[in-house]
Amino acid sequence: MKKVILTFMMLLLMLTLSAITLEESIQIARENNKEILAEESGMKSADWSAKNALTNFFPKAYFSSTIVRIDDDTYDMANAPIQIPEFGMEFPVMFPVYKTSYTNSIMIQQPIFNGGKMILGYQLAKLAKKQSFLTLQDKRNDISYMVASTYFGILKLQDLRILSEKSLNSTGANLEKVQKNYEVGTAKKSDVLQWQVKKKNDETAINEIDGNIDELFGMWTNLLGVEGETPSKIEVKELDTEISKYASLDAVETEKSMNEYLSEVSRTSPTIMSLGLARKMAKKNYLMAKGEFLPSINLQFNYEFESDDEFDFSGEENWNFAAAVSVPIFTSGANFSNMKAAKYEMKKTNYETESAKENYLVAAKNAFYSLITKAKTIEDNKTALELVQENHKIINELYEQGMVTNSELLDAETMLFGSEMNLVSSYYDYILIKYELKKYKD
């Protein structure tokens, strides 16, 4: 009764969920997954940083307004007439000071050359923007693979559950048959106990599968960012032609296909392209450090349109223009040590990225070889299943004739469902490794 209720509840749950394809689930994840949304925000931030770096080439204008009020003693002293006691003469101050003065001006600054920092800073910002786009693409690939892994994991467990139910039903039928034989004295008590143990093992396997399905559905919901979805069933046998092609490749053909795949990975992988950008950025930082030895040239124009005792924008006007040239002569070795640090940081980045690229290509190579192995495993499991099915048929016929023992029938039964489960598992392992290969190159 408990098993019937559990099965009914699972069927009810499946009916309340809407089935979606893998492509639809990946699209939903890309729209809702928080890790992807975070990377999209990072890309937009890098885009605005690149625009900000571009503004360093353009002039900057500032308006400044100041109000200055001096104390009475200072005011009286500054505006006191100039006296010459020897001649008994007194002259008024030539430049009187206001008690409260208002000054309003506009200043325009234009950088001309700053040791290459402006152009290199802009180039670095553009590289960072490209890198953030590649990081986003890489994150999308990672999430897509995780979605595919969860998607096929759920389907695999659901198929294994069907087989486990089939095994449990077969076990129940055999247990019932053995119990009747035991009641009439044609079977031993140990035969009954063996089938009872197998029945318990089958029930335990189903319970474990149900628990694993629940866990994967939790991961599935978290990856998609929405609830109420379930993977749509697929027909794994539609891949048989493709699988046979990979399984039949000889050593030379496998090496050729692998090299073609690695070549595509080297050209299209966001991770490898991002490593290349990291090397370029390190070189730009080194060039920027070398630029600290070069002079800098800046222009500044200042226009003061008011400086009097009333805030009416109608006071005296004056302007000035300045061209400033700065040449570093001695910085206590700061620019030299900074250049050396940038140089070795560039070398470090080059070594690290080369190592990371090599490891990445090795991982991609291993994944490709794993695809070939999975294809051959499926072909082997197909053959094994055919042999086991024939063996199961023969053992059943012999058991009906009383020519084999109950243990032999039990072994044949266990071997049959074990082979069926191995074949189903190998199909999904192959499908998953296919999506792992896509992760390396898309």
Side-chain angles (χ1 to χ4, degrees), residues 15 189 245 262 314 338 375 409:
L15 290 174
K189 179 64 176 179
K245 183 191 76 172
L262 291 183
S314 60
N338 188 42
L409 176 62

Side-chain angles (χ1 to χ4, degrees), residues 300-346:
Q300 180 171 306
F301 173 77
N302 191 74
Y303 176 65
E304 187 178 279
F305 52 85
E306 178 177 45
S307 182
D308 55 21
D309 61 343
E310 293 184 7
F311 191 81
D312 55 7
F313 296 97
S314 60
E316 296 181 357
E317 301 177 2
N318 67 81
W319 62 271
N320 62 74
F321 179 80
V325 179
S326 175
V327 181
I329 297 177
F330 180 69
T331 60
S332 300
N335 52 0
F336 180 77
S337 59
N338 188 42
M339 181 191 69
K340 283 294 187 180
K343 177 181 178 180
Y344 285 105
E345 185 65 30
M346 179 181 69

Side-chain angles (χ1 to χ4, degrees), residues 262 265-267 271-273 275-276 279 350-364:
L262 291 183
V265 170
S266 298
R267 291 195 316 271
T271 299
I272 291 181
M273 288 190 284
L275 293 174
R279 289 193 292 271
N350 288 340
Y351 287 131
E352 288 178 341
T353 52
E354 281 299 320
S355 175
K357 180 180 178 180
E358 290 171 1
N359 292 335
Y360 191 83
L361 290 175
V362 167

Side-chain angles (χ1 to χ4, degrees), residues 189-199 406-407 410:
K189 179 64 176 179
S190 60
D191 295 340
V192 177
L193 292 174
Q194 287 177 346
W195 286 107
Q196 287 177 336
V197 170
K198 187 175 185 306
K199 182 179 179 182
N406 180 75
S407 296
L410 185 63

Side-chain angles (χ1 to χ4, degrees), residues 31-43:
E31 293 173 356
N32 298 283
N33 185 270
K34 291 181 176 61
E35 293 183 44
I36 292 179
L37 295 176
E39 293 297 341
E40 287 178 348
S41 296
M43 187 184 71

Side-chain angles (χ1 to χ4, degrees), residues 4 53 63 89 117 159 194 200 220 228 231 293 309 311 334 403-404 426 432:
V4 174
F63 169 78
M89 300 177 65
K117 291 181 180 179
D159 284 353
Q194 287 177 346
K200 284 296 180 183
W220 169 261
F293 291 89
D309 61 343
F311 191 81
M403 298 176 66
V404 296
S426 60
L432 187 56

Side-chain angles (χ1 to χ4, degrees), residues 49-98:
S49 294
K51 292 175 181 177
N52 179 266
L54 183 62
T55 63
N56 293 328
F57 294 94
F58 306 135
K60 307 289 190 301
Y62 306 93
F63 169 78
S64 63
S65 179
T66 59
I67 302 175
V68 178
R69 182 174 179 82
I70 62 177
D71 62 87
D72 293 338
D73 292 340
T74 304
Y75 174 75
D76 292 340
M77 185 183 298
N79 289 287
I82 301 173
Q83 297 180 354
I84 306 177
E86 291 82 359
F87 298 97
M89 300 177 65
E90 183 179 278
F91 300 95
V93 64
M94 295 182 63
F95 301 102
V97 176
Y98 302 120

